Amino acid sequence: MKQSKNRGQLNRVKEVCSYIGQHLDEELNLTHLSQVGLLSRFHFHRLFLAATGMQLNRYILLLRLKRASFRLAFESKRKILDIGIEAGFDSAEAFSRAFKRTFQQSPSQFRSNPDWPHWHSVMTLVNPPQGDIIVDVKLIELPIQKVAQLEHSGAPEKLMETAKQFIEWRKTTGLSPVAISRTYGVPNGDPNTMAAEDFRFRFCGSVNEAVPDNEYGVVTGTLAGGCYAVIRHEGSHDAMESSIYGFFREWLPQSGKAMRDEPLFFHYLNFIHQVDECDLLTDIYLPLE
């Protein structure tokens, strides 16, 4: 009974975290958030800290600064002041102080040369509870797909540097345009279970023709065809492993299916510079025999 009660409270804190991510532009106070989670106002701070490892105000600040950091890195035409105001600050100076205190770089420094490894070390502290995971699976057959690809090699904390290079190739060449092409990510395994130097990740965009030689290192590649189980992940890319583990834990043992010796891949339906993190949609393709 106690375990069931604790699980219920965990799911309620998860609902609060989801609500925060969807309402970053609004006032988020203790009274309202405790009502959202149907939790005691007197004990909410302790419950939230126990479930997330972080004080409520700190959690909200980091989510707002996380969104701001993506704005800075990938939306070069947006003014820093406007990004700061969106993050809840009333001046560029206040935004700069908070940003530098958190990431050890000013907003302008981060925009010109982001220190992604340090950024990741800070953002890994944002650990919303996962609660219960319900896996909805679709089975589909895919043909072999031709793609333009750029491979990242090494520390996963530096993935954004390679992502930006791939984005620049798309913008500069006009090939595999985001508006009409599909965007994929293909890891060679779980970065949490391998040495950083062994980690590989391919950024891919669908193409119809071979990729010409270019200074960015983008080449022609393929995604394997065949049978796939597809699950849709909603929200932060940082939490996708939870959806994947839910698939392996809940659906696969009951399905009678076996995994094929090919990597899974992600199909990104939208992007962090287009929508808030809570509104990200990603289809995860898991290869089946």
Side-chain angles (χ1 to χ4, degrees):
M1 179 67 72
K2 183 177 180 181
Q3 185 176 6
S4 176
K5 181 178 180 180
N6 289 341
R7 195 66 181 172
Q9 290 180 340
L10 182 70
N11 283 327
R12 289 178 182 179
V13 174
K14 179 188 175 185
E15 290 175 6
V16 172
C17 291
S18 178
Y19 181 89
I20 291 170
Q22 295 169 10
H23 296 83
L24 288 176
D25 296 324
E26 302 174 15
E27 181 180 355
L28 298 168
N29 59 55
L30 169 63
T31 299
H32 180 57
L33 291 177
S34 62
Q35 291 172 348
V36 168
L38 302 177
L39 294 163
S40 166
R41 178 169 59 89
F42 301 101
H43 304 296
F44 180 79
H45 273 305
R46 290 187 179 88
L47 290 169
F48 191 89
L49 177 61
T52 66
M54 186 173 297
Q55 295 286 352
L56 174 64
N57 289 341
R58 177 66 172 167
Y59 182 87
I60 294 171
L61 173 65
L62 285 180
L63 280 192
R64 286 173 171 162
L65 291 179
K66 184 178 187 180
R67 180 177 65 175
S69 64
F70 286 123
R71 299 276 196 260
L72 291 166
F74 296 109
E75 298 184 44
S76 58
K77 294 183 179 180
R78 293 191 65 166
K79 295 180 180 178
I80 290 178
L81 176 59
D82 292 340
I83 295 173
I85 291 174
E86 182 188 44
F89 297 91
D90 56 10
S91 70
E93 291 76 16
F95 173 52
S96 182
R97 285 196 299 271
F99 196 93
K100 188 168 186 177
R101 187 164 55 244
T102 303
F103 298 120
Q104 304 302 307
Q105 287 184 297
S106 69
S108 59
Q109 289 171 334
F110 188 87
R111 166 165 276 177
S112 63
N113 187 27
D115 183 354
W116 288 114
H118 180 73
W119 183 92
H120 275 282
S121 71
V122 173
M123 295 315 307
T124 53
L125 301 176
V126 182
N127 186 31
Q130 298 306 316
D132 296 328
I133 298 172
I134 300 174
V135 178
D136 183 17
V137 178
K138 296 179 180 179
L139 298 181
I140 67 169
E141 288 282 340
L142 280 185
I144 296 174
Q145 299 179 72
K146 182 178 290 185
V147 294
Q149 66 181 37
L150 180 64
E151 184 174 87
H152 171 86
S153 176
E157 293 82 7
K158 293 188 175 183
L159 269 173
M160 287 298 176
E161 295 177 6
T162 309
K164 189 169 185 177
Q165 187 174 342
F166 187 67
I167 291 170
E168 287 301 316
W169 171 81
R170 277 181 144 175
K171 289 180 177 179
T172 302
T173 65
L175 300 175
S176 187
V178 173
I180 60 174
S181 303
R182 292 187 166 200
T183 302
Y184 302 104
V186 189
N188 69 334
D190 181 357
N192 298 311
T193 61
M194 63 174 63
E197 60 268 22
D198 296 329
F199 180 65
R200 304 289 184 272
F201 191 99
R202 288 187 290 149
F203 290 96
C204 303
S206 60
V207 291
N208 296 319
E209 304 294 336
V211 177
D213 291 342
N214 59 87
E215 61 182 313
Y216 297 92
V218 177
V219 298
T220 307
T222 59
L223 294 182
C227 180
Y228 286 87
V230 184
I231 55 178
R232 177 155 294 182
H233 175 81
E234 300 181 3
S236 173
H237 294 166
D238 297 335
M240 284 200 291
E241 287 295 337
S242 297
S243 293
I244 295 169
Y245 289 139
F247 166 83
F248 280 101
R249 184 179 63 247
E250 298 171 19
W251 186 85
L252 190 61
Q254 302 175 31
S255 69
K257 303 287 186 179
M259 300 301 296
R260 181 158 40 98
D261 190 22
E262 295 283 350
L264 63 80
F265 65 85
F266 309 117
H267 176 202
Y268 303 110
L269 303 178
N270 53 19
F271 303 97
I272 193 65
H273 60 280
Q274 298 173 330
V275 300
D276 286 342
E277 190 173 33
C278 61
D279 295 321
L280 289 170
L281 295 175
T282 308
D283 282 344
I284 305 172
Y285 286 71
L286 300 114
L288 300 176
E289 292 184 348

